[in-house]
Amino acid sequence: MSLPFFVMSRIGIDIRGGDRAPQVVLDGLKLALTEIKGDTQVVLYGLEDDLQEVPPQCEARICGSAIAMDEHPVRALQQKSDSTLMQGISDLAQGKIDSFASAGHSGALMVASMQALGLHEGISRPAVVSLFPKLKGGQTVVLDVGINVDAKPEQFLEFARLGKAYAQSVLACKEPRVALLNTGSEESKGNLVYQKAYQILKEEEPSFIGNAEARELFNLEAEVLVCDGFTGNMLLKQTESFYALSRQLDLEHSFLELLNYEKYGASPILGIKGKVLLAHGASGPEAIKSMILGAESFALANFAEQFSASSTI
């Protein structure tokens, strides 16, 4: 079924993605529908039993199967071409939707995205981005936070350009600055990979302002912070742990609530030729709501144009 020509954005949601799908995803959808734009179309990818009652602003896409969280990603994609995840990625590749979000199997989502959508020119591997709040307002784009645990020095330049394009297109930051997460501010800090990455960024990225330490995270001058996926994931998990600790200690402050991962919902996968978002498998309704709203924002962003512009500098 073709979608109405007047739809501003078309976002695809994997109803079967997540540890507690489909119910949690459907609950999150109800919350999101009260906030999404009136001309946004939500395409729901689920099994027949999931889609008996579809809200007016949504379109049902009944699929034949779903990929479980414990399945082998490549084998699952080969055996379940009619799965919710594969059908969503396929529709995205064909331009039937503008973005696709799932809290399902991260490995399968990554493999499917790379195979069906391909990578942007100049990108060797995709990267996952996460947003961190600043005390004085605004957010920092941090990448990679999970995929490239053994990143090569040259990839840090790719991360910088992807991060800049995301900050410009989604966060409306006109001239984002880039910093390298490191163990100190001096050029000589870090292991050999980070020392080489520093030199590459210094020579080839005009917006690079130098190293930044983890203790500067919430007061960072830069709008984009680059690191390898291992380091970025540790930073992300430590922040989640700090938020959980603040709740256990009954600490209250408006800034602490900005550290709640459910406020962000999903992490965009940058570098692929399509707008895909990955949410935590343990996401609750609030996180799913944020995932859907994030999919809408990403769908409306001119990311590809901004990335092409930053890559030609």
Side-chain angles (χ1 to χ4, degrees):
M1 179 186 297
S2 60
L3 295 172
F5 72 94
F6 56 85
V7 171
M8 179 177 260
S9 65
R10 300 161 294 178
I11 60 177
I13 304 300
D14 181 5
I15 296 296
R16 280 283 165 170
D19 296 336
R20 293 176 284 166
Q23 191 55 54
V24 165
V25 183
L26 292 171
D27 291 343
L29 174 66
K30 291 178 183 178
L31 297 175
L33 288 177
T34 65
E35 296 187 27
I36 65 172
K37 296 177 174 59
D39 49 5
T40 293
Q41 179 81 37
V42 183
V43 185
L44 307 176
Y45 296 81
L47 305 185
E48 187 171 3
D49 290 344
D50 307 332
L51 303 173
Q52 294 299 315
E53 297 182 8
V54 179
Q57 204 167 345
C58 301
E59 175 186 333
R61 183 83 154 81
I62 297 175
C63 305
S65 64
I67 296 177
M69 301 293 272
D70 59 351
E71 291 191 68
H72 187 279
V74 176
R75 189 178 305 117
L77 292 174
Q78 293 173 341
Q79 297 175 350
K80 296 182 175 180
S81 59
D82 62 347
S83 67
T84 57
L85 190 152
M86 275 298 295
Q87 291 301 308
I89 292 296
S90 177
D91 281 0
L92 182 62
Q94 296 177 48
K96 295 179 180 179
I97 54 177
D98 301 306
S99 67
F100 179 71
S102 174
H105 198 306
S106 59
L109 184 64
M110 187 66 62
V111 173
S113 298
M114 292 181 66
Q115 290 181 346
L117 302 168
L119 297 171
H120 284 292
E121 185 177 354
I123 297 299
S124 59
R125 286 270 298 169
V128 174
V129 63
S130 187
L131 298 177
F132 289 77
K134 295 184 178 185
L135 274 171
K136 296 182 179 180
Q139 295 172 308
T140 301
V141 178
V142 180
L143 69 166
D144 182 30
V145 294
I147 299 178
N148 304 284
V149 295
D150 293 309
K152 298 178 181 179
E154 295 77 14
Q155 285 181 276
F156 287 78
L157 180 61
E158 297 178 15
F159 298 160
R161 290 174 175 170
L162 289 169
K164 284 178 59 180
Y166 189 82
Q168 291 169 326
S169 61
V170 179
L171 303 183
C173 179
K174 292 184 179 181
E175 298 181 355
R177 296 162 292 180
V178 176
L180 175 65
L181 181 60
N182 211 329
T183 57
S185 60
E186 301 86 353
E187 287 192 33
S188 60
K189 288 294 185 177
N191 58 26
L192 294 177
V193 171
Y194 272 74
Q195 291 176 26
K196 178 64 175 177
Y198 185 101
Q199 294 304 319
I200 293 174
L201 289 166
K202 180 180 178 181
E203 294 171 6
E204 301 190 37
E205 177 49 61
S207 60
F208 180 59
I209 63 172
N211 286 327
E213 298 182 54
R215 62 181 177 180
E216 303 172 52
L217 180 61
F218 303 119
N219 289 293
L220 202 64
E221 291 185 15
E223 288 72 37
V224 178
L225 184 64
V226 297
C227 57
D228 63 85
F230 181 86
T231 304
N233 194 261
M234 295 286 282
L235 189 70
L236 179 63
K237 297 294 175 59
Q238 181 61 40
T239 303
E240 291 177 357
S241 175
F242 177 71
Y243 172 74
L245 178 63
S246 72
R247 296 300 301 270
Q248 292 173 18
L249 297 176
D250 294 324
L251 301 178
E252 293 187 9
H253 193 281
S254 58
F255 182 79
L256 292 176
E257 275 306 307
L258 297 178
L259 303 180
N260 184 356
Y261 82 93
E262 290 200 342
K263 299 289 185 182
Y264 302 93
S267 298
I269 302 174
L270 303 184
I272 55 175
K273 294 180 180 178
K275 297 173 179 178
V276 180
L277 298 95
L278 169 65
H280 201 298
S283 294
E286 281 293 332
I288 295 296
K289 167 192 167 183
S290 299
M291 177 189 80
I292 295 171
L293 296 177
E296 180 185 46
S297 297
F298 201 17
L300 295 171
N302 60 338
F303 176 80
E305 292 82 354
Q306 291 288 0
F307 175 70
S308 297
S310 66
S311 297
T312 57
I313 293 177

